[in-house]
Amino acid sequence: LDDLLTKWEELKDLSRNICEGFEEAKDIYEFNKNVDLVESWIREKELMIQFNDTGEDYEHCTALLKKLDDVGTGLKVDEDEIHQINHLADKLINQCKNENQVDEKRLSLNEKWKQLQQKIADYRQRLINALEIHSLNRDLDEVNERLMEKHLLASKECDAKNLSSAENEQRKHLSLCNDIYGIDNHFKNINDNDVRRLIGKNPELMEKSRTKIQNIQDNLRKLSQECSTKDEKLKFAVKLHKFFDSIKEYENWASIILVNKLSKTFTSENILQAENELQDHGYVKDELLAKKQNNKNLKEYGLSLLQELKQNENENQLQIQKLQECLENNDELQRKLDQAWEDKSNYLKQCKQLHNFNELYKQADSWLTMKEAFLTNDDLGSNLTAVKDLLKKHDSFVQSFAGHQRIVDLSTFAQQLFEQKHFDLHNIQMKHDEILERRDKLLELAKIRKNKLEDSKLYFKFLQNYNEIHGWLTEKIKVANDESYRESINLLSKKQKHAAFEAEINSNKGRIDELLGEGENLINNSHFRSEEIKSNLDNIKKLYRQLNDSATFKRNRLNEAYQALQFFRLCDVLSLWIKDIEAILSDQDNGKDLSSVRNLLKKHQLLENDVHNHNENIENIKDQLAHFQRSNHFQIDEIEEKGKS
């Protein structure tokens, strides 16, 4: 156990020694590593200092300063780092192991560190001085860049489309000039302060600054000249656009005038309104004259601007062309206004003429309407007297119509408007033609009515004759239809009267034929009462035929009655004779003696001769009876009875 404990203690000592050896080796390793790193850092700084780079610009110089101060790097060596290395070296020396080697490295490192610190301080100062110059150059570059920016703005062509944009460009240019003035003051401040302060710090870098300063001064002079030139251009552009705006304002006014006051719109409703419009149009002329004078002054101003532009004609071709077109358009607009006023004046005069024409048209229309109303009267008279009165009125109407002054005035005035080529020529022509057509139609209607009245007159004359003849025929038919022939009294006288009656009928045949001819003529001439006339003629013909038939019938009846009367008389004579014969034959006297017998025989012989002689009369009576029977005599019954008796 003691042996084991002894070995355990030995093991612990051995382990402790090994641990101390590891600690020492670790410290040596760390010391050597740190020394190597610091020496590497020192070499890097020495190379940087040896290169003596002060930077191309402010940013580069700032980066070198940061690099010199190890800003943003993983490795940075300072007094604390050197102190730690020295402390570690002291620790290793105190351990009495490799103390010479450690001490040599420490001394060498400290010497290099001290030497480097002075070099770094000098190099840092050079960088700081260079940084100020770089800052100056940066400020100068910034000034120059701003000048270049302003140069681009100042050299930009003025392309203002209107007055507002031109004035806006002018305001921008004024702001630009103020900016340039501020840049100039800033440059003077830099030149007066920083340049004088830094002039001796780094002559090489300051040479570059002097070049920049000279360049800036040249640019300032050029920019000042450009600003002055552009200012003149902008002022001229403002004047030019003010001129264009004045022209535009005049054109707008002209457009409004052309639309509202010079347009050809027919608004007047009567002659008075047309006269008022003409008067108002005269006021428009006064307004046009005032504007025309202003426009003349404006044109003269435009011509002066044109002369200014032509001083540099090559550069101002577009503006010259635009201004010339504007002046030409303005002249054309002025001519258009003058012509529009003249056209409107003529138009308003024609409007007044149109109202005059319409007034004449209304008068003619009213007059024609009244006359047409007169002709719409369908009254053609109810008798001849009424027709004659209507004819007198119609003749007076025609006389009042012939050469009517209203229509003559209308036609004359219309011809004047035709010659003037009036704007409403179509309607005027239509109304004029309408009035003339109505007049011609009225004349035609008057002629037609005249013809109708004449026809009516002829009709009533015809009707008068017709009524006379109709009455005469009716009366004669009554006479002809008289059955006086049935009475045997005065039959011979009746026959004579009837013969006279028929002679009267024949004597009036000419009147009837004349009436029929008159009626036929009216029908052939298409009389408006042709149907009535034809009916009347047919009636007359019928009555005339009836009269002739009745007269013939009565004549026949009278003849038959007279024949019957003679028959009756013959029968009566024979009857008396027969009675006498019968009385003689009924005598019982046969004679008393021969002489008386002979006398009786002689008488009987005479009687037989008498009978024989009367046989012819008997046969005649039989023949007449047979004739009466065949002819269906109207007294056949009486005749047969008489014949039988």
Side-chain angles (χ1 to χ4, degrees), residues 301-344:
Y301 181 64
L303 290 173
S304 66
L305 293 177
L306 184 62
Q307 291 300 321
E308 289 186 42
L309 287 173
K310 286 185 176 180
Q311 292 176 3
N312 196 358
E313 189 169 354
N314 293 330
E315 294 182 3
N316 299 323
Q317 281 294 333
L318 293 177
Q319 289 180 322
I320 290 172
Q321 183 179 358
K322 183 178 179 181
L323 185 55
Q324 286 176 338
E325 290 178 357
C326 183
L327 291 171
E328 290 173 359
N329 292 337
N330 186 56
D331 291 340
E332 180 63 27
L333 181 60
Q334 186 61 53
R335 287 192 294 272
K336 186 177 180 181
L337 281 171
D338 294 338
Q339 186 62 45
W341 188 90
E342 291 295 335
D343 292 343
K344 180 67 178 289

Short mmCIF file of all heavy atoms in Angstrom, two decimals, residues 301-344:
data_model
loop_
_atom_site.label_atom_id
_atom_site.label_comp_id
_atom_site.label_asym_id
_atom_site.label_seq_id
_atom_site.Cartn_x
_atom_site.Cartn_y
_atom_site.Cartn_z
N TYR A 301 -46.80 94.67 -84.20
CA TYR A 301 -45.93 94.12 -83.17
C TYR A 301 -45.37 92.76 -83.61
O TYR A 301 -44.19 92.46 -83.41
CB TYR A 301 -46.71 93.97 -81.87
CG TYR A 301 -45.91 93.42 -80.72
CD1 TYR A 301 -44.83 94.13 -80.19
CD2 TYR A 301 -46.22 92.18 -80.16
CE1 TYR A 301 -44.09 93.62 -79.13
CE2 TYR A 301 -45.49 91.66 -79.11
CZ TYR A 301 -44.42 92.39 -78.59
OH TYR A 301 -43.69 91.88 -77.56
N GLY A 302 -46.22 91.95 -84.24
CA GLY A 302 -45.77 90.65 -84.75
C GLY A 302 -44.72 90.81 -85.83
O GLY A 302 -43.75 90.03 -85.89
N LEU A 303 -44.87 91.82 -86.69
CA LEU A 303 -43.87 92.06 -87.73
C LEU A 303 -42.53 92.47 -87.12
O LEU A 303 -41.46 92.09 -87.63
CB LEU A 303 -44.38 93.14 -88.70
CG LEU A 303 -45.55 92.72 -89.60
CD1 LEU A 303 -46.08 93.91 -90.38
CD2 LEU A 303 -45.13 91.60 -90.55
N SER A 304 -42.59 93.26 -86.03
CA SER A 304 -41.34 93.64 -85.36
C SER A 304 -40.66 92.40 -84.76
O SER A 304 -39.43 92.26 -84.81
CB SER A 304 -41.62 94.67 -84.27
OG SER A 304 -42.40 94.11 -83.22
N LEU A 305 -41.46 91.49 -84.19
CA LEU A 305 -40.89 90.24 -83.68
C LEU A 305 -40.28 89.41 -84.81
O LEU A 305 -39.23 88.78 -84.64
CB LEU A 305 -41.98 89.42 -82.96
CG LEU A 305 -42.55 90.01 -81.67
CD1 LEU A 305 -43.67 89.12 -81.14
CD2 LEU A 305 -41.47 90.17 -80.61
N LEU A 306 -40.94 89.44 -85.96
CA LEU A 306 -40.43 88.70 -87.11
C LEU A 306 -39.08 89.25 -87.56
O LEU A 306 -38.17 88.49 -87.90
CB LEU A 306 -41.45 88.77 -88.25
CG LEU A 306 -41.12 87.97 -89.51
CD1 LEU A 306 -41.02 86.48 -89.19
CD2 LEU A 306 -42.17 88.21 -90.59
N GLN A 307 -38.94 90.58 -87.52
CA GLN A 307 -37.65 91.18 -87.89
C GLN A 307 -36.56 90.76 -86.92
O GLN A 307 -35.42 90.50 -87.32
CB GLN A 307 -37.79 92.71 -87.92
CG GLN A 307 -38.67 93.23 -89.05
CD GLN A 307 -38.15 92.83 -90.42
OE1 GLN A 307 -36.93 92.84 -90.67
NE2 GLN A 307 -39.07 92.47 -91.32
N GLU A 308 -36.89 90.69 -85.64
CA GLU A 308 -35.90 90.24 -84.65
C GLU A 308 -35.48 88.81 -84.93
O GLU A 308 -34.30 88.46 -84.83
CB GLU A 308 -36.48 90.35 -83.24
CG GLU A 308 -36.64 91.78 -82.75
CD GLU A 308 -37.08 91.82 -81.29
OE1 GLU A 308 -36.54 91.03 -80.50
OE2 GLU A 308 -37.96 92.64 -80.95
N LEU A 309 -36.45 87.96 -85.26
CA LEU A 309 -36.12 86.56 -85.54
C LEU A 309 -35.25 86.43 -86.78
O LEU A 309 -34.36 85.58 -86.85
CB LEU A 309 -37.41 85.75 -85.73
CG LEU A 309 -38.22 85.44 -84.47
CD1 LEU A 309 -39.54 84.79 -84.83
CD2 LEU A 309 -37.43 84.52 -83.53
N LYS A 310 -35.50 87.27 -87.77
CA LYS A 310 -34.75 87.18 -89.02
C LYS A 310 -33.30 87.63 -88.87
O LYS A 310 -32.48 87.40 -89.77
CB LYS A 310 -35.44 88.01 -90.10
CG LYS A 310 -36.72 87.35 -90.62
CD LYS A 310 -37.33 88.13 -91.77
CE LYS A 310 -38.55 87.40 -92.32
NZ LYS A 310 -39.17 88.14 -93.45
N GLN A 311 -32.98 88.29 -87.75
CA GLN A 311 -31.58 88.66 -87.51
C GLN A 311 -30.71 87.42 -87.32
O GLN A 311 -29.51 87.47 -87.53
CB GLN A 311 -31.50 89.57 -86.28
CG GLN A 311 -32.12 90.94 -86.50
CD GLN A 311 -32.12 91.79 -85.24
OE1 GLN A 311 -31.60 91.36 -84.21
NE2 GLN A 311 -32.68 92.99 -85.33
N ASN A 312 -31.33 86.34 -86.88
CA ASN A 312 -30.61 85.06 -86.76
C ASN A 312 -31.47 84.00 -87.44
O ASN A 312 -31.99 83.08 -86.80
CB ASN A 312 -30.36 84.72 -85.29
CG ASN A 312 -29.31 83.64 -85.13
OD1 ASN A 312 -28.78 83.12 -86.11
ND2 ASN A 312 -29.01 83.30 -83.89
N GLU A 313 -31.62 84.18 -88.74
CA GLU A 313 -32.61 83.42 -89.50
C GLU A 313 -32.35 81.92 -89.50
O GLU A 313 -33.27 81.12 -89.44
CB GLU A 313 -32.65 83.94 -90.94
CG GLU A 313 -33.79 83.37 -91.77
CD GLU A 313 -33.95 84.10 -93.08
OE1 GLU A 313 -33.24 85.11 -93.28
OE2 GLU A 313 -34.78 83.65 -93.89
N ASN A 314 -31.08 81.52 -89.54
CA ASN A 314 -30.76 80.09 -89.62
C ASN A 314 -31.23 79.34 -88.39
O ASN A 314 -31.70 78.20 -88.48
CB ASN A 314 -29.25 79.90 -89.81
CG ASN A 314 -28.78 80.42 -91.17
OD1 ASN A 314 -29.55 80.40 -92.13
ND2 ASN A 314 -27.54 80.90 -91.23
N GLU A 315 -31.08 79.95 -87.21
CA GLU A 315 -31.46 79.28 -85.97
C GLU A 315 -32.96 79.36 -85.70
O GLU A 315 -33.49 78.57 -84.92
CB GLU A 315 -30.69 79.89 -84.78
CG GLU A 315 -29.20 79.65 -84.83
CD GLU A 315 -28.50 80.23 -83.60
OE1 GLU A 315 -29.22 80.74 -82.72
OE2 GLU A 315 -27.26 80.17 -83.54
N ASN A 316 -33.62 80.32 -86.30
CA ASN A 316 -35.02 80.58 -85.96
C ASN A 316 -35.98 80.24 -87.10
O ASN A 316 -37.05 80.85 -87.22
CB ASN A 316 -35.20 82.05 -85.57
CG ASN A 316 -34.36 82.43 -84.37
OD1 ASN A 316 -34.20 81.63 -83.45
ND2 ASN A 316 -33.83 83.64 -84.37
N GLN A 317 -35.59 79.29 -87.94
CA GLN A 317 -36.42 78.96 -89.09
C GLN A 317 -37.83 78.54 -88.69
O GLN A 317 -38.82 79.01 -89.26
CB GLN A 317 -35.76 77.83 -89.91
CG GLN A 317 -34.63 78.28 -90.81
CD GLN A 317 -35.12 79.19 -91.94
OE1 GLN A 317 -36.27 79.11 -92.36
NE2 GLN A 317 -34.24 80.07 -92.40
N LEU A 318 -37.93 77.65 -87.69
CA LEU A 318 -39.24 77.15 -87.28
C LEU A 318 -40.11 78.26 -86.70
O LEU A 318 -41.31 78.37 -87.02
CB LEU A 318 -39.08 76.03 -86.26
CG LEU A 318 -38.44 74.73 -86.78
CD1 LEU A 318 -38.27 73.73 -85.64
CD2 LEU A 318 -39.31 74.12 -87.88
N GLN A 319 -39.50 79.10 -85.85
CA GLN A 319 -40.27 80.20 -85.25
C GLN A 319 -40.69 81.22 -86.31
O GLN A 319 -41.80 81.75 -86.26
CB GLN A 319 -39.44 80.88 -84.16
CG GLN A 319 -39.27 80.02 -82.90
CD GLN A 319 -38.45 80.73 -81.84
OE1 GLN A 319 -37.49 81.41 -82.16
NE2 GLN A 319 -38.83 80.54 -80.59
N ILE A 320 -39.77 81.48 -87.26
CA ILE A 320 -40.10 82.42 -88.34
C ILE A 320 -41.28 81.88 -89.15
O ILE A 320 -42.24 82.60 -89.46
CB ILE A 320 -38.87 82.64 -89.25
CG1 ILE A 320 -37.81 83.46 -88.49
CG2 ILE A 320 -39.27 83.36 -90.53
CD1 ILE A 320 -36.49 83.58 -89.23
N GLN A 321 -41.20 80.58 -89.47
CA GLN A 321 -42.28 79.96 -90.24
C GLN A 321 -43.60 80.01 -89.47
O GLN A 321 -44.66 80.35 -90.03
CB GLN A 321 -41.91 78.51 -90.57
CG GLN A 321 -42.95 77.80 -91.44
CD GLN A 321 -42.53 76.38 -91.75
OE1 GLN A 321 -41.45 75.94 -91.37
NE2 GLN A 321 -43.39 75.66 -92.46
N LYS A 322 -43.54 79.68 -88.17
CA LYS A 322 -44.75 79.70 -87.35
C LYS A 322 -45.33 81.10 -87.25
O LYS A 322 -46.56 81.30 -87.36
CB LYS A 322 -44.43 79.15 -85.96
CG LYS A 322 -45.65 79.06 -85.05
CD LYS A 322 -45.28 78.47 -83.71
CE LYS A 322 -46.50 78.40 -82.79
NZ LYS A 322 -46.15 77.85 -81.46
N LEU A 323 -44.45 82.10 -87.05
CA LEU A 323 -44.92 83.48 -86.91
C LEU A 323 -45.51 83.98 -88.23
O LEU A 323 -46.54 84.67 -88.24
CB LEU A 323 -43.76 84.37 -86.46
CG LEU A 323 -44.10 85.84 -86.16
CD1 LEU A 323 -45.22 85.93 -85.14
CD2 LEU A 323 -42.87 86.58 -85.67
N GLN A 324 -44.86 83.64 -89.34
CA GLN A 324 -45.39 84.05 -90.65
C GLN A 324 -46.76 83.41 -90.89
O GLN A 324 -47.69 84.07 -91.36
CB GLN A 324 -44.42 83.65 -91.76
CG GLN A 324 -43.17 84.53 -91.81
CD GLN A 324 -42.17 84.05 -92.86
OE1 GLN A 324 -42.19 82.89 -93.26
NE2 GLN A 324 -41.29 84.95 -93.29
N GLU A 325 -46.88 82.12 -90.56
CA GLU A 325 -48.18 81.45 -90.71
C GLU A 325 -49.23 82.10 -89.82
O GLU A 325 -50.39 82.27 -90.23
CB GLU A 325 -48.05 79.97 -90.37
CG GLU A 325 -47.26 79.16 -91.38
CD GLU A 325 -47.10 77.71 -90.96
OE1 GLU A 325 -47.56 77.37 -89.85
OE2 GLU A 325 -46.52 76.92 -91.74
N CYS A 326 -48.81 82.46 -88.61
CA CYS A 326 -49.74 83.10 -87.68
C CYS A 326 -50.23 84.44 -88.24
O CYS A 326 -51.42 84.75 -88.19
CB CYS A 326 -49.06 83.29 -86.33
SG CYS A 326 -50.13 84.00 -85.06
N LEU A 327 -49.29 85.23 -88.79
CA LEU A 327 -49.67 86.53 -89.37
C LEU A 327 -50.56 86.34 -90.59
O LEU A 327 -51.54 87.07 -90.78
CB LEU A 327 -48.41 87.31 -89.74
CG LEU A 327 -47.56 87.81 -88.55
CD1 LEU A 327 -46.24 88.38 -89.04
CD2 LEU A 327 -48.32 88.86 -87.74
N GLU A 328 -50.22 85.34 -91.42
CA GLU A 328 -51.05 85.08 -92.60
C GLU A 328 -52.44 84.62 -92.19
O GLU A 328 -53.45 85.05 -92.76
CB GLU A 328 -50.38 84.02 -93.47
CG GLU A 328 -49.11 84.51 -94.17
CD GLU A 328 -48.38 83.39 -94.87
OE1 GLU A 328 -48.87 82.23 -94.80
OE2 GLU A 328 -47.32 83.66 -95.49
N ASN A 329 -52.50 83.73 -91.19
CA ASN A 329 -53.80 83.26 -90.70
C ASN A 329 -54.61 84.40 -90.11
O ASN A 329 -55.83 84.45 -90.25
CB ASN A 329 -53.62 82.15 -89.66
CG ASN A 329 -53.05 80.89 -90.26
OD1 ASN A 329 -53.18 80.65 -91.46
ND2 ASN A 329 -52.42 80.07 -89.43
N ASN A 330 -53.89 85.31 -89.43
CA ASN A 330 -54.57 86.46 -88.84
C ASN A 330 -55.16 87.35 -89.93
O ASN A 330 -56.30 87.84 -89.81
CB ASN A 330 -53.59 87.24 -87.97
CG ASN A 330 -54.28 88.37 -87.21
OD1 ASN A 330 -55.23 88.14 -86.49
ND2 ASN A 330 -53.80 89.58 -87.41
N ASP A 331 -54.38 87.57 -91.00
CA ASP A 331 -54.90 88.36 -92.12
C ASP A 331 -56.11 87.67 -92.74
O ASP A 331 -57.12 88.32 -93.06
CB ASP A 331 -53.82 88.55 -93.19
CG ASP A 331 -52.70 89.48 -92.71
OD1 ASP A 331 -52.95 90.24 -91.75
OD2 ASP A 331 -51.59 89.42 -93.27
N GLU A 332 -56.00 86.35 -92.90
CA GLU A 332 -57.11 85.59 -93.48
C GLU A 332 -58.33 85.65 -92.57
O GLU A 332 -59.47 85.78 -93.04
CB GLU A 332 -56.68 84.13 -93.67
CG GLU A 332 -57.76 83.23 -94.27
CD GLU A 332 -58.16 83.66 -95.67
OE1 GLU A 332 -57.33 84.28 -96.37
OE2 GLU A 332 -59.33 83.41 -96.04
N LEU A 333 -58.10 85.58 -91.25
CA LEU A 333 -59.20 85.66 -90.30
C LEU A 333 -59.88 87.03 -90.36
O LEU A 333 -61.11 87.13 -90.29
CB LEU A 333 -58.69 85.39 -88.88
CG LEU A 333 -59.74 85.42 -87.77
CD1 LEU A 333 -60.82 84.39 -88.01
CD2 LEU A 333 -59.08 85.19 -86.41
N GLN A 334 -59.06 88.08 -90.52
CA GLN A 334 -59.63 89.43 -90.62
C GLN A 334 -60.49 89.55 -91.88
O GLN A 334 -61.59 90.10 -91.84
CB GLN A 334 -58.49 90.47 -90.65
CG GLN A 334 -58.98 91.91 -90.61
CD GLN A 334 -59.76 92.21 -89.34
OE1 GLN A 334 -59.28 91.97 -88.23
NE2 GLN A 334 -60.97 92.71 -89.48
N ARG A 335 -59.96 88.99 -92.99
CA ARG A 335 -60.75 89.00 -94.22
C ARG A 335 -62.03 88.18 -94.04
O ARG A 335 -63.10 88.56 -94.53
CB ARG A 335 -59.93 88.44 -95.38
CG ARG A 335 -58.84 89.37 -95.88
CD ARG A 335 -58.25 88.89 -97.20
NE ARG A 335 -57.53 87.64 -97.05
CZ ARG A 335 -56.24 87.54 -96.73
NH1 ARG A 335 -55.53 88.64 -96.51
NH2 ARG A 335 -55.67 86.37 -96.61
N LYS A 336 -61.90 87.06 -93.33
CA LYS A 336 -63.06 86.21 -93.08
C LYS A 336 -64.10 86.93 -92.24
O LYS A 336 -65.31 86.83 -92.51
CB LYS A 336 -62.61 84.93 -92.38
CG LYS A 336 -63.71 83.90 -92.20
CD LYS A 336 -63.15 82.64 -91.57
CE LYS A 336 -64.26 81.59 -91.39
NZ LYS A 336 -63.73 80.36 -90.75
N LEU A 337 -63.64 87.69 -91.23
CA LEU A 337 -64.57 88.46 -90.40
C LEU A 337 -65.29 89.52 -91.23
O LEU A 337 -66.52 89.68 -91.12
CB LEU A 337 -63.82 89.11 -89.24
CG LEU A 337 -63.47 88.22 -88.05
CD1 LEU A 337 -62.53 88.95 -87.10
CD2 LEU A 337 -64.72 87.78 -87.31
N ASP A 338 -64.50 90.25 -92.03
CA ASP A 338 -65.11 91.29 -92.87
C ASP A 338 -66.13 90.68 -93.83
O ASP A 338 -67.24 91.20 -94.00
CB ASP A 338 -64.03 92.04 -93.66
CG ASP A 338 -63.11 92.84 -92.74
OD1 ASP A 338 -63.53 93.16 -91.61
OD2 ASP A 338 -61.97 93.15 -93.15
N GLN A 339 -65.72 89.54 -94.45
CA GLN A 339 -66.63 88.90 -95.39
C GLN A 339 -67.85 88.34 -94.67
O GLN A 339 -68.98 88.42 -95.18
CB GLN A 339 -65.89 87.77 -96.12
CG GLN A 339 -66.70 87.12 -97.24
CD GLN A 339 -67.07 88.11 -98.33
OE1 GLN A 339 -66.23 88.89 -98.77
NE2 GLN A 339 -68.33 88.09 -98.76
N ALA A 340 -67.62 87.77 -93.46
CA ALA A 340 -68.74 87.21 -92.69
C ALA A 340 -69.72 88.31 -92.31
O ALA A 340 -70.94 88.09 -92.32
CB ALA A 340 -68.22 86.50 -91.44
N TRP A 341 -69.17 89.50 -91.96
CA TRP A 341 -70.08 90.60 -91.62
C TRP A 341 -70.90 91.01 -92.84
O TRP A 341 -72.12 91.22 -92.74
CB TRP A 341 -69.29 91.80 -91.09
CG TRP A 341 -70.20 92.87 -90.55
CD1 TRP A 341 -70.66 93.00 -89.28
CD2 TRP A 341 -70.80 93.94 -91.30
NE1 TRP A 341 -71.50 94.06 -89.17
CE2 TRP A 341 -71.62 94.68 -90.40
CE3 TRP A 341 -70.74 94.34 -92.62
CZ2 TRP A 341 -72.34 95.78 -90.80
CZ3 TRP A 341 -71.47 95.45 -93.02
CH2 TRP A 341 -72.25 96.17 -92.11
N GLU A 342 -70.23 91.11 -93.99
CA GLU A 342 -70.95 91.46 -95.21
C GLU A 342 -71.99 90.39 -95.55
O GLU A 342 -73.13 90.71 -95.90
CB GLU A 342 -69.96 91.62 -96.38
CG GLU A 342 -69.04 92.83 -96.28
CD GLU A 342 -69.80 94.15 -96.36
OE1 GLU A 342 -70.90 94.16 -96.95
OE2 GLU A 342 -69.31 95.15 -95.82
N ASP A 343 -71.57 89.12 -95.42
CA ASP A 343 -72.51 88.03 -95.72
C ASP A 343 -73.70 88.07 -94.76
O ASP A 343 -74.85 87.88 -95.18
CB ASP A 343 -71.80 86.67 -95.61
CG ASP A 343 -70.76 86.48 -96.70
OD1 ASP A 343 -70.82 87.23 -97.70
OD2 ASP A 343 -69.89 85.60 -96.55
N LYS A 344 -73.41 88.30 -93.46
CA LYS A 344 -74.51 88.35 -92.48
C LYS A 344 -75.40 89.55 -92.76
O LYS A 344 -76.63 89.47 -92.62
CB LYS A 344 -73.91 88.43 -91.06
CG LYS A 344 -74.96 88.48 -89.94
CD LYS A 344 -75.73 87.19 -89.82
CE LYS A 344 -76.74 87.22 -88.67
NZ LYS A 344 -76.11 87.19 -87.36
#
